[in-house]
Amino acid sequence: MTLYFAPKTRASRARWMLEELGLPYTLVTLDLAAGEHRRPEYLAVHPLGQVPALEDGGVRLMESAAICQYLADKAPEAGLAPPVGSPERGEYYQWMMFAMTGVEPHLVALSGQAALPEGQRDAAVQEKARARFEEAARVLEARLSGGREVLVGGRFTAVDVVVASIAVWAGSMGLLADFPALQAYGKAHVARPAARRARGP
Ligand SMILES: N[C@@H](CCC(=O)N[C@@H](CS)C(=O)NCC(=O)O)C(=O)O
């Protein structure tokens, strides 16, 4: 498999999964600052020129959460996805979609605003994104309160890779002060050896 990657991006989730599973892969690191992701060769791999993208034989995938789910299903013996048809599988889909559509877009909006020169930021956009993020974070906080260490069932799965990555991103933006369970959950999971290896060179 070949993973198209850039450090400190959503590509880290896919690399984290590959490391959890111990699957062999070739890493192609793109220099986003140099615009390598905009070159025609890479646009042929990912039509939007984003990372991650994964090639596995004839399969070519984009979207970090889809890649994480694909990898979990590729090595079912690792138990990184609940069995198909189980109640936990339904919850796994639910939290995966919630993370990607109900939480992450608000972080993207807030990051986009933070990247603008101060005079160009839109206070109304920031306020709305923060409110929507907090509303969603409260749902995750409630789920994780009471000592729950993983989102689904009794073991770590691909949905924890995705949601812990999002939690750490939110924490780095100072958004988790009122969400201690979510903050602790993110920190605990990104300390896993596979997550550390995924952050390495
Ligand atoms: N929804 C996509 C988002 C991918 C994405 O936007 N990746 C960013 C890095 S985190 C990127 O490649 N940005 C470069 C660009 O859009 O030019 C996913 O989860 O894979």
Side-chain angles (χ1 to χ4, degrees), residues 8-11 13 32 37-38 46 48-52 62-65 100 104:
K8 296 187 178 167
T9 67
R10 280 165 269 191
R13 300 167 188 173
L32 302 188
H37 57 309
R38 295 283 167 202
H46 190 310
L48 298 180
Q50 296 174 338
V51 287
M62 55 185 177
E63 287 300 329
S64 57
M100 296 305 288
E104 188 153 278

Side-chain angles (χ1 to χ4, degrees), residues 122-188:
D122 184 326
V125 169
Q126 283 177 299
E127 210 171 296
K128 187 172 173 200
R130 188 167 180 135
R132 297 293 302 275
F133 169 78
E134 288 181 352
E135 191 177 34
R138 270 195 291 280
V139 176
L140 289 171
E141 181 74 11
R143 176 73 174 179
L144 293 167
S145 294
R148 180 184 272 278
E149 289 172 5
V150 294
L151 271 173
V152 173
R155 62 188 292 178
F156 179 83
T157 64
V159 78
D160 297 305
V161 168
V162 171
V163 176
S165 303
I166 290 175
V168 168
W169 181 9
S172 73
M173 293 173 66
L175 295 170
L176 293 190
D178 295 334
F179 305 101
L182 185 55
Q183 188 159 35
Y185 162 87
K187 275 191 186 156

